[in-house]
Amino acid sequence: MELEKKLVDSFFTNHPSEAVQALNDIDIRAMGKFLETLKPQSAAKSLEKIPQKTATSILQGMKISSAAKILEQLPFDAQLVFIHSLEANSREQILGVLPVSHSQKLHRLLNYPEGSAGYLMDPSPVSVLSDCLVYDALKQIRIDADSDRYYVYVTDAEHRLIGMVSLQALLKARKQVAVASIMSTDIACLPARASERDIINHPFWLNFHELPVVNRHQVLIGVIRYDTFSR
């Protein structure tokens, strides 16, 4: 039985499109119960291959703990789509059992309209304070940042965006100088309520892979990457 379960998990992980086709003849509730028997990673891959409206219904019909575990395995932008499409009661219950730090990220994005910069952003930009030494900044980034980040954003004590430095420049800099001494202040940023059209048409995509997002007080609250629109 254990071997059979491993084979099913492997099939749903490696061939999610074909696996989902095998579920077409069962109803939504039964589909949800079946996905609950899979590893969360396998169930998440399958959920991505199901039409959004159906996938949302499946998620809502699951046990809250199972739905949360599966949701957590989805790409962050897909998580956000589901969170927005869930009924309010299901949404709050699922957010309530996610790790607090993760739940807080998703909660922050619910305040912005669909398609806005605040809706689409990753709410975890890599940032350091301006008086931080390069040595300490690199140490912090190794702990906090993903390997695919291109830029490090620099803020003042009130977390307002004041500059940026490429990760490459940071790695080449002398370790005992302040980040402020090597940062560029010629930066472009997106207001949190910028529309999707304004985001897509922003001229700085010609030079940057990502753009920082700020609130009305110029506080850095997130980052939008070019591949959000190029999928």
Side-chain angles (χ1 to χ4, degrees):
M1 198 67 174
E2 184 63 30
L3 177 59
E4 182 180 325
K5 188 176 185 305
K6 287 182 179 179
L7 288 171
V8 171
D9 268 317
S10 177
F11 181 57
F12 273 77
T13 298
N14 298 308
H15 307 282
S17 297
E18 294 88 338
V20 164
Q21 290 178 12
L23 300 178
N24 281 341
D25 295 331
I26 64 175
D27 63 34
I28 286 175
R29 190 170 185 82
M31 198 181 295
K33 285 186 175 296
F34 176 76
L35 291 180
E36 284 181 323
T37 68
L38 302 177
K39 291 180 179 177
Q41 299 95 317
S42 304
K45 284 182 176 293
S46 300
L47 209 62
E48 286 188 272
K49 301 300 181 180
I50 298 172
Q52 180 62 42
K53 187 175 180 180
T54 303
T56 300
S57 297
I58 291 170
L59 206 61
Q60 285 186 158
M62 290 180 176
K63 296 175 184 174
I64 297 301
S65 58
S66 298
K69 288 176 182 176
I70 293 170
L71 185 75
E72 201 173 357
Q73 296 301 318
L74 292 165
F76 193 82
D77 55 350
Q79 292 181 39
L80 188 57
V81 169
F82 275 111
I83 285 297
H84 274 274
S85 60
L86 288 167
E87 293 176 0
N89 186 49
S90 296
R91 177 195 305 145
E92 290 307 315
Q93 289 185 58
I94 291 173
L95 287 172
V97 298
L98 286 171
V100 174
S101 59
H102 196 93
S103 177
Q104 287 176 341
K105 286 182 186 179
L106 289 167
H107 260 301
R108 284 200 295 272
L109 303 184
L110 292 173
N111 297 322
Y112 297 101
E114 184 173 355
S116 67
Y119 177 99
L120 295 165
M121 71 183 181
D122 175 347
S124 302
V126 179
S127 65
V128 296
L129 292 174
S130 58
D131 59 356
C132 182
L133 297 180
V134 168
Y135 173 83
D136 293 322
L138 288 171
K139 188 175 179 181
Q140 177 181 327
I141 291 165
R142 289 192 186 103
I143 294 172
D144 296 334
D146 295 335
S147 59
D148 63 345
R149 304 297 175 92
Y150 296 104
Y151 312 111
V152 177
Y153 299 100
V154 186
T155 65
D156 63 17
E158 282 73 45
H159 302 289
R160 291 174 298 205
L161 180 65
I162 60 172
M164 63 174 287
V165 59
S166 70
L167 190 54
Q168 184 178 26
L170 198 65
L171 288 167
K172 290 181 177 179
R174 290 187 294 118
K175 301 301 183 283
Q176 296 304 318
V177 301
V179 173
S181 68
I182 61 168
M183 72 180 185
S184 169
T185 56
D186 182 19
I187 51 175
C189 58
L190 291 162
R193 295 191 176 274
S195 69
E196 188 168 353
R197 180 179 178 181
D198 289 340
I199 299 167
I200 293 172
N201 292 328
H202 200 292
F204 271 71
W205 288 125
L206 296 173
N207 302 309
F208 296 96
H209 300 286
E210 63 183 40
L211 292 174
V213 180
V214 296
N215 67 13
R216 60 193 179 92
H217 302 295
Q218 289 300 112
V219 171
L220 177 67
I221 60 172
V223 63
I224 291 182
R225 297 185 180 82
Y226 182 77
D227 60 11
T228 298
F229 303 98
S230 60
R231 290 192 177 99

